Amino acid sequence: MNLIIESFRRNFTGAALCLLLAASPILARSQEAVTSPVHGIAVSNMDTSVKPGDDFYLYANGDWIKRTVVPADRGGVGVFSTLADLSSKRTAGLIEEAAKSNAPSGSNASKIAALYNSYMDEAGIEARVSAPLRPHLDAVAAIHNKQELARALGETLRSDVDALNNTNFHTANIFGMWVAPGFNDSEHYAAYLLQGGLQLPDREYYLSDSERMRGIRDKYQTHVAAMLKLAGFADADARAARIVELEHAIAKTHLSLAENEDIHKANNTWKQADFAAKAPGLDWEEYFRGAGLGKQESFIVWQPSAFTGESALVASEPLDTWKDWLAFHLIEANAGVLPKAFADERFDFFGKTLSGTPQQRPRWQNGVAVVNGLLGDAVGQIYAQRYFPPEAKAAAQAMVANIIAAFRLRINALDWMAPATKAEAQAKLTTLYVGVGYPETWKDYSAYQVTPNDIFGNVWRGSLFRYHQDLERIGGVVDRKEWSMEPQTVNAVNLPLQNALNFPAAILQPPFFDAKAPAVVNYGAIGSVIGHEISHTFDTEGSAFDSKGRVRNWWTPADLAHFDASTAKLAAQYDSYKPFPDLAVNGKQTLAENIADLSGVSAAYDGYRASLDGKAAPTKDGFTGDQQFFIAFGQNWGSKAREAMLRQQVMTDPHSPAQYRADTVRNVDSWYAAFDVKPAQKLYLAPPDRVRIW
Ligand SMILES: [Zn+2]
């Protein structure tokens, strides 16, 4: 479970790359802080005409919001995106160096250069027209029966979803695979299978009756027809209508995001032989053969009802409709590496209509994203050496240790929790692996073939390479120190099945983490991020796993009842937030992240108080130590997003919109004292209404 979702992946290129492309929609402290460093809270970003107790988010960020314009090629901006841009520029520089180095063929450096250059070769891409796609479309056209269809569907399976680490439940392929430690055997990797088949971000886009969603669906159908026409299909409008109708039927079988997050519903072991009985329709033997999983005996099926429903649709819907669906998904997935007309049409729908973004990003930025996606560790290794000095690593590790110590004290102080439950919670902290900056071992790309001037092939082989690597891991012994983020990624993550955290190098820098800033500001900014990830160990999902990463109920019934009651109260608090009159935050969908935000800022506060060692808190710019702590936390979330992007986030993101993340301070007693918050003020909660979980 990560700090921000990076799943607004569709804005720039193909869905084949979708897990690779980050458009960091959620934002943070002053953009200026990156270009002209302010060591401490960014006072010029605050709107001190707002009372902190009325709207803490605006108090901390209001002036920055007033003077910031969202660039035409963005869905939103803030420090996450500004830091991501910095990371992108640095990576582009490293790629350029790799290109100039004349590295031996087959080396990582030569692959980095060849992959990037093949993406930038626009003239070559135009000249090839849709030729690279043709053999794949011909293969779909040659499907004669449902058995061959099953085989072809199996051949689309990729490692393109991630249920618990990077929380990505979306794949446009009929199903998606995630290889991770097993729910019931955390020592070995298991194959998790997840629902899929939709191009739009979530089932609600197909099923909601709102005028807005009906409008999006109409435009989507037009887009489907336009893509088919570009690829030379006759009767494109009629085909598009049938494809959208099929996706609508698939959407009806899908679980919602809130249901997907319930790991107890997801722990379903199916033997390969069970599929035909439990989900009749699809020829599963052919499907698994096509997927290269013919010999794999058992799977964990995340959403059994969707597998039953989707499989039945394979039987009930006409072969030609499925072939059209398959062809369209093939075109869509590769649009980013086809001629400009395809990429433009794709952006027109997914960028403009769905995210409200008027302009595409400069091509080099997408090129960097492609390299990060397919050769992430190869670039990350150079990035970490260049931009993450050992002092930064040591300082971050010390801070992590302080906040874990603060968390231990908080657990011991819980008056409602039985000693046995506390003991297992403490054991989870003892066995927690914390990765800081970069992984201890790097991925091996020697089997990935990158060919000059062949971006289509490079991307195709890249996603297959990753898939085959994952196939080989199934059944193998788990490496708990394995990372799930690259060093150059501005984010952080908790891996509940490994009981591990990753803090990439790219987030461990100003303004989140600044050696020249007062310690209190670092505790409020990166400290709360560290606290957030530690807290995921104990959120509604993390608390289902024990100290060894196994799914095991280690709670006494009374403790669990207390925990459930407190978390239900927090869910109700977020349910009451309405970013738009017709759209509320979903308290259940965002619960795990909201717990992590609240517990994270609380633990970071304790860590900061402990670091004072009894001394008085230093005052700076007229703000007390406690005030600086909370303002720094609030400034993590300062953001400006377009309406379409924000709506998409509310519907598809397990994280709450930024303003409510900042406003969780209303549950923290020391915030009331720091800003003298009074009962008449809008964020005020009477002490019994403040949610305290950890
Ligand atoms: Zn999180």
Side-chain angles (χ1 to χ4, degrees):
M1 286 159 271
N2 46 11
L3 183 68
I4 56 163
I5 201 83
E6 300 199 79
S7 67
F8 296 78
R9 306 166 172 95
R10 302 173 153 271
N11 297 343
F12 0 26
T13 53
L17 310 175
C18 74
L19 62 146
L20 328 166
L21 299 173
S24 304
I26 316 171
L27 329 145
R29 217 127 57 91
S30 84
Q31 276 188 294
E32 300 90 287
V34 173
T35 46
S36 58
V38 175
H39 304 296
I41 58 169
V43 178
S44 66
N45 289 356
M46 300 172 63
D47 181 351
T48 49
S49 71
V50 175
K51 285 196 176 64
D54 278 336
D55 191 330
F56 188 67
Y57 171 76
L58 272 189
Y59 169 75
N61 302 292
D63 277 10
W64 177 85
I65 292 169
K66 274 184 224 157
R67 66 174 183 266
T68 297
V69 176
V70 179
D73 61 356
R74 296 301 164 98
V77 281
V79 159
F80 279 89
S81 67
T82 307
L83 270 190
D85 286 350
L86 177 66
S87 210
S88 208
K89 275 194 199 115
R90 286 171 169 178
T91 305
L94 299 175
I95 291 169
E96 220 169 279
E97 284 174 27
K100 281 184 193 151
S101 71
N102 282 323
S105 120
S107 65
N108 279 352
S110 97
K111 285 177 187 181
I112 289 170
L115 179 60
Y116 181 78
N117 289 336
S118 65
Y119 182 81
M120 296 305 284
D121 174 28
E122 289 178 87
I125 292 170
E126 290 301 319
R128 287 188 287 275
V129 203
S130 57
L133 192 60
R134 195 48 54 194
H136 302 287
L137 289 176
D138 290 347
V140 173
I143 295 172
H144 286 108
N145 53 45
K146 292 279 172 85
Q147 192 186 2
E148 289 174 10
L149 173 69
R151 163 77 73 133
L153 290 171
E155 286 169 0
T156 66
L157 189 64
R158 294 289 182 276
S159 310
D160 55 359
V161 285
D162 173 346
L164 287 173
N165 299 339
N166 290 303
T167 44
N168 172 22
F169 286 95
H170 186 271
T171 173
N173 296 329
I174 187 164
F175 303 117
M177 186 178 75
W178 181 48
V179 173
F183 270 151
N184 312 302
D185 172 10
S186 60
E187 302 291 314
H188 296 93
Y189 291 107
Y192 293 80
L193 294 178
L194 276 72
Q195 69 187 18
L198 307 178
Q199 288 288 349
L200 295 176
D202 182 79
R203 74 195 293 272
E204 276 306 293
Y205 282 77
Y206 295 87
L207 306 179
S208 161
D209 212 23
S210 77
E211 200 178 319
R212 190 185 164 79
M213 284 300 169
R214 284 204 303 270
I216 286 177
R217 284 198 290 273
D218 287 347
K219 286 184 179 155
Y220 175 56
Q221 191 167 319
T222 309
H223 163 72
V224 177
M227 292 299 262
L228 291 170
K229 276 178 207 155
L230 282 171
F233 279 81
D235 295 327
D237 292 327
R239 288 173 195 259
R242 291 194 293 267
I243 290 167
V244 175
E245 204 179 322
L246 175 56
E247 289 189 7
H248 178 262
I250 293 172
K252 283 204 256 180
T253 74
H254 273 204
L255 261 55
S256 70
L257 181 51
E259 290 168 313
N260 281 334
E261 288 169 350
D262 184 344
I263 66 121
H264 298 290
K265 285 187 185 154
N267 191 3
N268 313 289
T269 300
W270 287 17
K271 299 281 175 207
Q272 185 165 154
D274 294 339
F275 281 75
K278 291 185 170 175
L282 178 64
D283 183 335
W284 287 102
E285 212 181 308
E286 279 300 315
Y287 178 84
F288 284 120
R289 201 171 294 149
L293 283 162
K295 296 205 170 83
Q296 177 59 32
E297 273 178 31
S298 96
F299 299 87
I300 296 174
V301 175
W302 203 274
Q303 307 103 337
S305 56
F307 277 72
T308 305
E310 293 196 56
S311 178
L313 287 170
V314 175
S316 67
E317 299 312 298
L319 180 65
D320 284 341
T321 304
W322 276 106
K323 285 169 66 176
D324 287 343
W325 175 91
L326 206 46
F328 163 64
H329 279 235
L330 196 56
I331 302 163
E332 189 74 66
N334 294 286
V337 291
L338 287 170
K340 191 169 180 299
F342 288 90
D344 286 354
E345 172 55 38
R346 178 176 170 77
F347 180 81
D348 200 59
F349 179 74
F350 285 103
K352 284 187 190 160
T353 302
L354 271 192
S355 309
T357 309
Q359 246 178 48
Q360 298 191 53
R361 292 191 180 194
R363 192 167 182 91
W364 72 266
Q365 286 184 12
N366 294 344
V368 168
V370 169
V371 176
N372 276 334
L374 297 174
L375 289 166
D377 264 25
V379 176
Q381 191 170 2
I382 314 173
Y383 182 97
Q385 275 164 4
R386 182 77 54 90
Y387 296 110
F388 195 61
E391 323 67 276
K393 180 160 176 149
Q397 282 172 323
M399 198 156 187
V400 169
N402 286 348
I403 296 172
I404 289 179
F407 218 99
R408 285 193 183 282
L409 294 175
R410 292 186 75 85
I411 291 170
N412 280 344
L414 295 174
D415 53 10
W416 52 270
M417 189 176 272
T421 316
K422 284 184 183 177
E424 184 62 23
Q426 296 287 8
K428 285 198 78 169
L429 289 177
T430 303
T431 55
L432 188 69
Y433 166 73
V434 184
V436 172
Y438 49 89
E440 288 162 49
T441 52
W442 300 97
K443 288 197 179 81
D444 175 8
Y445 294 100
S446 49
Y448 175 30
Q449 184 202 333
V450 180
T451 307
N453 307 318
D454 179 18
I455 186 60
F456 188 97
N458 288 339
V459 168
W460 189 276
R461 285 187 298 273
S463 95
L464 263 182
F465 163 74
R466 188 193 153 114
Y467 178 66
H468 288 146
Q469 272 198 326
D470 265 355
L471 288 186
E472 281 168 25
R473 290 164 71 226
I474 300 171
V477 175
V478 167
D479 172 10
R480 287 192 46 240
K481 296 179 175 178
E482 181 180 64
W483 275 52
S484 105
M485 263 178 193
E486 276 90 32
Q488 66 274 33
T489 303
V490 184
N491 208 336
V493 67
N494 179 309
L495 318 170
L497 286 158
Q498 291 168 230
N499 196 25
L501 313 179
N502 300 163
F503 296 104
I507 199 170
L508 298 170
Q509 59 176 329
F512 286 107
F513 183 51
D514 181 357
K516 294 183 181 139
V520 57
V521 172
N522 282 327
Y523 274 98
I526 196 72
S528 299
V529 169
I530 294 168
H532 173 106
E533 297 307 336
I534 295 170
S535 304
H536 272 312
T537 309
F538 304 107
D539 70 18
T540 34
E541 293 171 55
S543 63
F545 301 91
D546 70 9
S547 56
K548 297 206 165 66
R550 291 173 301 199
V551 178
R552 183 169 73 82
N553 183 6
W554 45 275
W555 295 69
T556 67
D559 288 345
L560 194 58
H562 183 103
F563 180 71
D564 287 345
S566 311
T567 58
K569 211 162 124 184
L570 193 65
Q573 189 179 102
Y574 279 76
D575 274 336
S576 73
Y577 294 143
K578 279 194 151 187
F580 302 101
D582 62 334
L583 186 63
V585 173
N586 182 333
K588 195 167 174 232
Q589 175 184 309
T590 55
L591 181 56
E593 295 298 336
N594 297 334
I595 294 169
D597 281 341
L598 172 56
S599 308
V601 71
S602 305
Y605 179 81
D606 288 359
Y608 143 65
R609 296 298 301 183
S611 76
L612 290 173
D613 216 11
K615 293 189 208 92
T619 292
K620 190 172 180 252
D621 301 320
F623 297 101
T624 66
D626 277 21
Q627 287 173 337
Q628 290 174 71
F629 173 87
F630 287 110
I631 293 166
F633 169 72
Q635 291 190 337
N636 275 357
W637 303 114
S639 70
K640 192 146 180 171
R642 297 180 190 280
E643 179 178 341
M645 181 63 107
L646 193 53
R647 283 180 177 273
Q648 191 177 337
Q649 189 198 340
V650 172
M651 292 176 65
T652 63
D653 194 335
H655 305 83
S656 298
Q659 77 182 89
Y660 310 115
R661 301 186 73 170
D663 285 347
T664 199
V665 292
R666 66 194 301 213
N667 295 301
V668 182
D669 292 338
S670 44
W671 173 76
Y672 286 81
F675 294 97
D676 192 24
V677 177
K678 295 281 193 289
Q681 294 177 338
K682 290 184 190 123
L683 289 176
Y684 180 87
L685 291 171
D689 296 331
R690 296 174 199 164
V691 182
R692 294 174 185 81
I693 297 172
W694 289 99

